[in-house]
Structures are given as structure tokens and as C-alpha cells.
Amino acid sequence: MKVDGRQMRPIWLDEISQTVKVIDQRQLPHRLVIAELTTVDKVITAIQDMYVRGAPLIGATGAYGVYVAALNTRVSSNDEAFFLKECDRIKSVRPTAVNLAWAVDTVLAEVSQNETLADKTNTAKAAAARIAELEAENCRQIGVAGLELVKAVSEAKNGDTVHILTHCNAGWLACVEYGTATAPIYAAFEKGIDVHVWVDETRPLNQGARLTAWELGKHGIKHTIVTDNAGGHLMQHGMVDMVIVGTDRTTRTGDVANKIGTYLKALAARDNDIPFYVALPSSTFDWQAFDGLKDIPIEERDPNEVRYVQGDDAGSLRKVLISPPDSSAANPAFDVTPANLVTGLITERGVCRADENDILRLFPEHP
Ligand code: MRU
């Protein structure tokens, strides 16, 4: 997508240095800083500390991480064991987004066909690039499918503004290109449909207020940041036409794990008869998971993310303590919205109901 006229992705391979580069999203919207991931430790820190975040981008970073692991493996009798251990370290950094393990395993399956370290390195580089392109194309298709839903609401309102609420950042910053939840919004905007987005701030790390607002603003899309608790009120007063969110892992039965607070939005949407859609590429389905509450691991993050807030203070990024210094805090990073609260899943193969039969109608290769 374009940032001030310049084509950008949140991850890319530098053609000249052949190094993996990412936007350091911790510093947005205040400054656009690029980080270089030259070692496995740097890849792990980038995922753990959320320079990169969002399920498809975590996957793409993991895929490029296999390339970085191969680059940093020395030829020796032990090189295969060392390389695989490094890939395992990458795979386990963030547990909820299933894309990470999927992407690392996909690259490793291709690499396992090679004998020499040089071949493994080249194969990993090519496979990671393919995964990034695949996620970009999947998100484009999600936009094509989701556009029809936004168009239908716009027509029902005789062209009046369509108000869409979203939670966290499921935009291009989270996904290589277009985003998942934002892809239908960008597609609708391109078609001239009048859209306005309610952006949940998304405590504790404010991915909505910092990242979704930044993306939408750069694209010229009308948006308003609201506190995480405002959604129910807006819905009760007819100010939300539809909710679209992303997901980090969705079971084959349609239960959806996404950023903490998503479940409460789904409850409020149901109580107010507002459609609640989840947009995802097929890499975010966990085909082995049947029950979201039992089968999806929920990441617990550092409680200090709750106790402190980061912002820009006259050009410097500062963290300030907002709680009593000795109060404890808990930080579950995701929650599960049961399938029965989900109106539909928007995938690269079209829209389906959040139930196993309809999901398998689109993805019959996972019986
Ligand atoms: O903790 P984060 O910022 O990685 O959480 C991201 C989300 O919850 C997104 O909604 C999800 O990954 C979908 S991204 C298209």
C-alpha cells in the first residue's frame, strides 16, 4: 500500500543486501522506522516485542525467519540439528496466531528436499517470498468477497455512509497487503462507496488508535477512534452498520480467536442485530481445532503492557505508568468468539457461515 506516495509493505527482502527488513510498528504512528532482521534472535525479538504483529505478517516473518536461520547456520556435522532447533525457537514465539507455525512448517517442508546448506538457504528465501505473495493475494481476494457485503449495506441505505466498526489492526500492516478486515473497506472506498470506520483503540497496545487509524488516514478513509468500551453504546444508537474484524486462529467449526475484547463486540452486535463478520485467509484456519475455548492457546503477555502506556512526548517516545506501582495486572492478549455469534467468514474463496459444513464447502481439501 502507499505511504505518502511511496509503495510499502510491512516486510520485504532488500534486493541489494538480501536482508529481511520490516517496519518497526512499535514506533508508529509517530515515526516510520525500518528494522533489519539479520539473526534469529532479531527475528524472535521482532515477533515477541511486536515490531511485526498480526497473524499473516507473523507468518510471513516466521517464513523469512527460516531463511535467516539458514543464513546463520555454519556448515558442520551438526548443521541440520542446529538449523531445525533455530526454526523451532521461531515457531514458539507467539502461540495464538496459527499462521506462524503454518508458515515455518511450509518453508521447512520445501527446504527438507535440499541436501546442501546453500540450497536450503535459497529454497527458504524463495518459499518465504511465495508465502508473502500468497498472503497479499489472499487479502486482495478477501477484499473482492467482502466488497459485496459493504455494497449491499450501502444500497440498503440508499448510498448513505456505511459505518463499520473494527477492533485491533487487521490492516495491511498486519498482513503484507490490503489487510483482512480492512480489505473490504479499501475495496469499497476504491469503488466510491461512502464508508466511515469506528476504530477501537484496542488497549493495552493500542493497535487500533496507533496503526489502524494511521493506515486509514494515509489512505484518506474517514475514521473515528473510540475507546474499547464505546462499541456497545454506538450500536445501541444505530451508529454501526456492520462489524468486521480479523482473527489469529479460527477452528474448523468457526470459533474465532482475535484480540482481547472482540468477544464483547460480538455480544453487543448480536444484542443489536448488527452483522458481525470475521475476515481471514485460509492460513488462519486451524484444521485440527474443533473447540475454540479448549483448542486455542491464548497468549498471556507482560502485565507491564497494561500498567504502562506509550506515547509521543515532544518528539520522544515515552512510557508512563498509569496504575499504582504495586498493583498487579493481567494481560490475556486474545479471546474466543464462539461461532454462533459470527454472521459470516470472509475468505479468499468467498463468504461462508461460521460452521464446519459451510467452511468445508469452500475448503473441501480439509475433510
Ligand atoms: O497482538 P497482535 O497485534 O498481533 O494482534 C493482532 C490481531 O488481533 C489481529 O486482529 C489479527 O492478527 C488479525 S490480522 C489480519
Side-chain angles (χ1 to χ4, degrees):
M1 304 290 276
K2 284 216 165 106
V3 179
D4 302 331
R6 173 177 166 206
Q7 193 67 34
M8 282 209 94
R9 283 184 168 182
I11 189 165
W12 67 97
L13 187 77
D14 186 296
E15 289 297 330
I16 296 163
S17 62
Q18 293 291 291
T19 53
V20 180
K21 294 195 170 168
V22 297
I23 296 178
D24 179 355
Q25 298 187 24
R26 298 169 310 163
Q27 311 208 35
L28 286 174
H30 309 296
R31 51 183 87 129
L32 185 57
V33 172
I34 310 303
E36 239 185 343
L37 309 184
T38 48
T39 65
V40 169
D41 283 343
K42 285 185 177 168
V43 170
I44 287 173
T45 301
I47 298 173
Q48 176 61 45
D49 293 354
M50 294 174 54
Y51 300 40
V52 292
R53 22 71 49 206
L57 180 61
I58 293 172
T61 309
Y64 273 115
V66 178
Y67 163 63
V68 173
L71 274 179
N72 285 281
T73 299
R74 303 260 165 275
V75 179
S76 78
S77 56
N78 195 30
D79 58 5
E80 179 72 5
F82 175 81
F83 168 64
L84 292 176
K85 243 173 135 176
E86 290 293 87
C87 294
D88 264 352
R89 283 210 297 139
I90 296 170
K91 232 166 97 169
S92 59
V93 187
R94 292 194 73 192
T96 303
V98 71
N99 304 58
L100 179 57
W102 169 81
V104 170
D105 287 341
T106 302
V107 178
L108 279 178
E110 289 200 33
V111 161
S112 69
Q113 311 295 320
N114 297 129
E115 294 292 326
T116 68
L117 197 49
D119 285 349
K120 286 180 200 288
T121 308
N122 285 329
T123 300
K125 184 169 66 174
R130 261 200 310 281
I131 283 178
E133 287 309 321
L134 176 73
E135 293 301 34
E137 175 56 17
N138 284 344
C139 286
R140 195 185 67 73
Q141 296 286 1
I142 288 168
V144 172
L147 167 63
E148 297 309 314
L149 301 170
V150 182
K151 203 173 84 278
V153 175
S154 167
E155 283 166 5
K157 293 185 78 175
N158 295 319
D160 270 4
T161 309
V162 179
H163 297 280
I164 302 170
L165 183 136
T166 193
H167 192 66
C168 197
N169 171 261
W172 68 264
L173 284 169
C175 296
V176 186
E177 287 274 15
Y178 309 106
T180 53
T182 55
I185 297 170
Y186 287 128
F189 180 77
E190 296 309 327
K191 288 277 180 241
I193 295 172
D194 187 4
V195 283
H196 164 259
V197 184
W198 294 110
V199 177
D200 283 352
E201 61 176 345
T202 319
R203 277 282 287 147
L205 294 179
N206 293 317
Q207 289 94 326
R210 294 189 303 108
L211 306 175
T212 305
W214 183 78
E215 270 195 31
L216 294 175
K218 289 288 172 205
H219 216 80
I221 294 181
K222 288 185 286 185
H223 62 280
T224 306
I225 301 166
V226 287
T227 61
D228 290 325
N229 295 324
H233 164 80
L234 297 174
M235 291 184 208
Q236 284 175 322
H237 290 271
M239 295 160 83
V240 178
D241 295 303
M242 59 201 300
V243 179
I244 313 181
V245 297
T247 165
D248 285 77
R249 188 184 296 233
T250 289
T251 65
R252 61 185 294 130
T253 55
D255 294 339
V256 168
N258 191 46
K259 181 52 58 193
I260 193 78
T262 302
Y263 171 49
L264 293 179
K265 294 297 136 60
L267 283 173
R270 172 56 54 88
D271 194 42
N272 290 281
D273 267 334
I274 291 164
F276 181 93
Y277 288 102
V278 177
L280 74 161
S282 47
S283 54
T284 305
F285 280 109
D286 182 342
W287 301 107
Q288 264 67 55
F290 286 81
D291 180 334
L293 287 178
K294 287 199 190 119
D295 298 339
I296 300 181
I298 299 295
E299 178 183 11
E300 287 283 339
R301 292 187 60 86
D302 186 342
N304 278 338
E305 291 179 352
V306 176
R307 299 167 69 242
Y308 288 82
V309 167
Q310 176 180 286
D312 178 72
D313 178 16
S316 309
L317 285 187
R318 287 254 157 79
K319 277 193 179 139
V320 292
L321 181 65
I322 57 167
S323 65
D326 48 0
S327 286
S328 67
N331 190 10
F334 299 94
D335 60 24
V336 173
T337 299
N340 70 298
L341 294 178
V342 178
T343 309
L345 301 173
I346 311 171
T347 78
E348 73 266 21
R349 294 193 192 168
V351 179
C352 65
R353 291 190 312 274
D355 69 52
E356 191 169 8
N357 283 340
D358 215 34
I359 292 170
L360 293 186
R361 174 179 62 79
L362 295 184
F363 297 95
E365 68 272 35
H366 296 282

